[in-house]
Amino acid sequence: MTVTPHLASDSAACCWIPLFALRSELARRPEIASLPVALVAPDTARTPRVWQVAPLARRAGVKPGMTVSQAIGLCPALKLCEPDPVHYDEQFARLVAALVTVSPVVEPVELGRAYVGTDGLEGLYGEPEKIVEAIQMRNVECGMRIFSEGSFASPDSHLHSALRIPHSALRVGWGIGKFVSWVAATRAKPGEAVIVPVGGEAKFLASQPLAVLPLDPDTHRRLLQLGIKTLGALVALPEEAVVSQFGSAGRRLWRLAAGLVTEPVVGRVVPEPIVAALTFFTPVGERDLLAHALDKLVDRALGDPRRSGWRVQVVRVHAELEHGASWLVAATLKDPSATREHIAAPLKTQLERSPPAGAVERLVVEFTAFAPGTAELQLFARDAGAAARAGRRRALQSAAREIALRIRRPMLYHVIEVQPWSRLPERRYALIDYEP
């Protein structure tokens, strides 16, 4: 594992698919596309709330953030779908992978939205219009066409983009800086792009509504009370007057609205994650057993030789549940750590606050980001014992690959003790994938 410097780009293309999770769900379940559909929020197990809402349900009055009982009261025919965050994450990873084939500078922001740095791409593709066309065409080639606007439309509807990519939900905005490109993407029609020419940022932003700014509700309300409804009306005020009313946040808002802030796209090389998985003989719903399994998996991931000399900064846990659902939580450690207690603590907290909605069949822990360890850790990672262990592990990896090739599927597992007090043998032990 090596440290790679970050890449940055001032010119940006914002790629955005609204209601990404819901579109993903409808793409694999087309039989419900004509119904009023809503997704249940994945982190509100105690008071289930609506997360994303299809247009048919929205026209019936259902809005994101409502409790499930309120939503059903407004729309008795509402079709509620349990979330599958692991599936949505995999679909978004496909989008990011497609973008990386166009530019090495890609910055994912949230599910369904990512920025692409376009500095230097002119030599490959030409003008911004050609760069945008390359982004859209590459996503179609990589299978992102499944997120079709047809999922939300009547069978007779027929949408075409300016670039002749039918039924595409991808919206693209191009401009200087992330904010300008994001606002441009929100103005684009499905399957089309809005390009803001260099030097035309202020003119383009002037007519945009206040909602495109990162406003908190109180600031938004105060600005509306002052009669300010567009970015142009905000910029018409003296900058210092806005600062006197809203402080340093007001200065940033004013400068964003004026097109004076150019936030570059920061691309990061994604490290190869360290993964540990556990398959249960029978689905498990007890939180104590799941917490115990988390400890075991964190221990196993910490023992991976690739982690030698590195501390864990970001950890994710996802679970495959009964009936095809899934559960996903992630934690970023304020102080990167190499101890099980510090890494597992935030995961157990989230397990208590928003447990899986069903019994768990498979549990997976991933370390996805790392920070350098101390000099002593780096020194000990290079000793002769570590070199010998690495050699034995390479031999085991070669043997495991050969077995997998011959049998056509992985067949090697560890048997570990997870619930020694149980009277049932299948509860006392569990299979964990063997990855030498």
Side-chain angles (χ1 to χ4, degrees):
M1 196 176 299
T2 57
V3 177
T4 306
H6 292 177
L7 306 173
S9 171
D10 286 336
S11 63
C14 177
C15 300
W16 180 44
I17 298 180
L19 301 178
F20 188 93
L22 185 58
R23 291 180 186 277
S24 179
E25 195 67 44
L26 294 177
R28 65 176 180 174
R29 300 174 61 186
E31 69 277 5
I32 65 173
S34 60
L35 303 175
V37 180
L39 272 182
V40 179
D43 56 351
T44 56
R46 295 180 180 177
T47 306
R49 293 184 179 274
V50 174
W51 178 24
Q52 294 187 0
V53 183
L56 282 176
R58 190 179 291 272
R59 283 197 287 271
V62 180
K63 296 180 180 179
M66 282 184 172
T67 64
V68 167
S69 58
Q70 289 174 329
I72 294 176
L74 290 169
C75 181
L78 183 66
K79 173 67 176 177
L80 290 170
C81 298
E82 290 293 333
D84 189 353
V86 175
H87 174 70
Y88 312 147
D89 193 63
E90 290 172 352
Q91 293 298 313
F92 185 52
R94 292 177 60 193
L95 171 61
V96 173
L99 297 177
V100 170
T101 63
V102 178
S103 170
V105 185
V106 177
E107 183 181 347
V109 180
E110 62 181 1
L111 198 64
R113 178 158 64 109
Y115 294 102
V116 180
T118 61
D119 283 354
L121 297 185
E122 297 86 355
L124 291 174
Y125 302 104
E127 297 300 315
E129 292 82 0
K130 295 294 184 181
I131 297 174
V132 169
E133 183 176 359
I135 290 172
Q136 293 179 314
M137 293 300 297
R138 196 61 55 87
N139 280 288
V140 171
E141 293 170 5
C142 291
M144 291 312 297
R145 195 169 173 176
I146 63 172
F147 295 103
S148 65
E149 194 68 22
S151 300
F152 290 161
S154 65
D156 297 330
S157 66
H158 193 62
L159 299 173
H160 290 274
S161 74
L163 299 175
R164 297 181 182 179
I165 302 176
H167 302 291
S168 174
L170 182 69
R171 308 177 189 219
V172 182
W174 188 94
I176 299 298
K178 290 191 292 188
F179 179 70
V180 173
S181 65
W182 159 242
V183 177
T186 64
R187 301 301 98 183
K189 295 179 180 179
E192 298 187 0
V194 170
I195 296 174
V196 181
V198 179
E201 293 83 10
K203 181 180 179 181
F204 168 74
L205 292 173
S207 60
Q208 305 305 321
L210 278 180
V212 300
L213 287 172
L215 295 168
D216 60 81
D218 181 63
T219 302
H220 194 189
R221 176 184 55 79
R222 291 172 61 189
L223 287 172
L224 290 178
Q225 288 176 341
L226 292 172
I228 300 171
K229 299 181 180 180
T230 65
L231 302 191
L234 178 62
V235 174
L237 299 175
E239 180 180 359
E240 294 306 320
V242 177
V243 174
S244 66
Q245 285 291 321
F246 301 99
S248 58
R251 185 182 300 279
R252 173 173 170 75
L253 293 175
W254 190 92
R255 295 181 67 82
L256 280 173
L260 300 178
V261 176
T262 304
E263 293 181 324
V265 180
V266 179
R268 295 173 175 85
V269 177
V270 179
E272 181 183 357
I274 294 175
V275 182
L278 174 63
T279 301
F280 296 100
F281 281 110
T282 57
V284 173
E286 296 90 343
R287 296 186 195 177
D288 290 342
L289 179 55
L290 292 175
H292 184 64
L294 276 177
D295 285 336
K296 292 284 187 181
L297 291 174
V298 171
D299 274 337
R300 184 184 175 211
L302 286 173
D304 192 295
R306 291 175 296 169
R307 195 208 54 80
S308 297
W310 296 86
R311 295 170 296 161
V312 179
Q313 190 165 34
V314 178
V315 58
R316 298 194 329 160
V317 176
H318 59 86
E320 297 174 10
L321 310 181
E322 286 184 306
H323 312 301
S326 66
W327 177 74
L328 174 66
V329 296
T332 301
L333 305 180
K334 184 178 180 181
D335 298 315
S337 175
T339 62
R340 183 190 69 193
E341 292 77 11
H342 290 160
I343 296 171
L347 303 176
K348 292 179 181 178
T349 299
Q350 294 193 53
L351 177 64
E352 287 295 323
R353 290 178 178 174
S354 55
V360 176
E361 295 181 339
R362 180 179 171 85
L363 193 65
V364 182
V365 168
E366 296 181 352
F367 296 162
T368 59
F370 305 86
T374 62
E376 290 79 6
L377 284 174
Q378 297 284 358
L379 176 63
F380 286 122
R382 299 189 182 94
D383 65 11
R389 290 192 297 273
R392 289 195 296 270
R393 189 168 293 275
R394 283 194 296 271
L396 286 172
Q397 288 173 338
S398 177
R401 282 196 298 269
E402 184 175 350
I403 291 173
L405 287 173
R406 291 190 178 188
I407 304 179
R408 304 286 184 181
R409 58 193 180 96
M411 289 290 291
L412 298 178
Y413 304 95
H414 281 299
V415 178
I416 65 169
E417 194 176 55
V418 293
Q419 198 172 9
W421 55 84
S422 176
R423 295 182 179 181
L424 302 176
E426 57 269 24
R427 286 297 183 93
R428 289 200 297 268
Y429 304 98
L431 288 180
I432 188 170
D433 293 347
Y434 180 70
E435 298 175 359

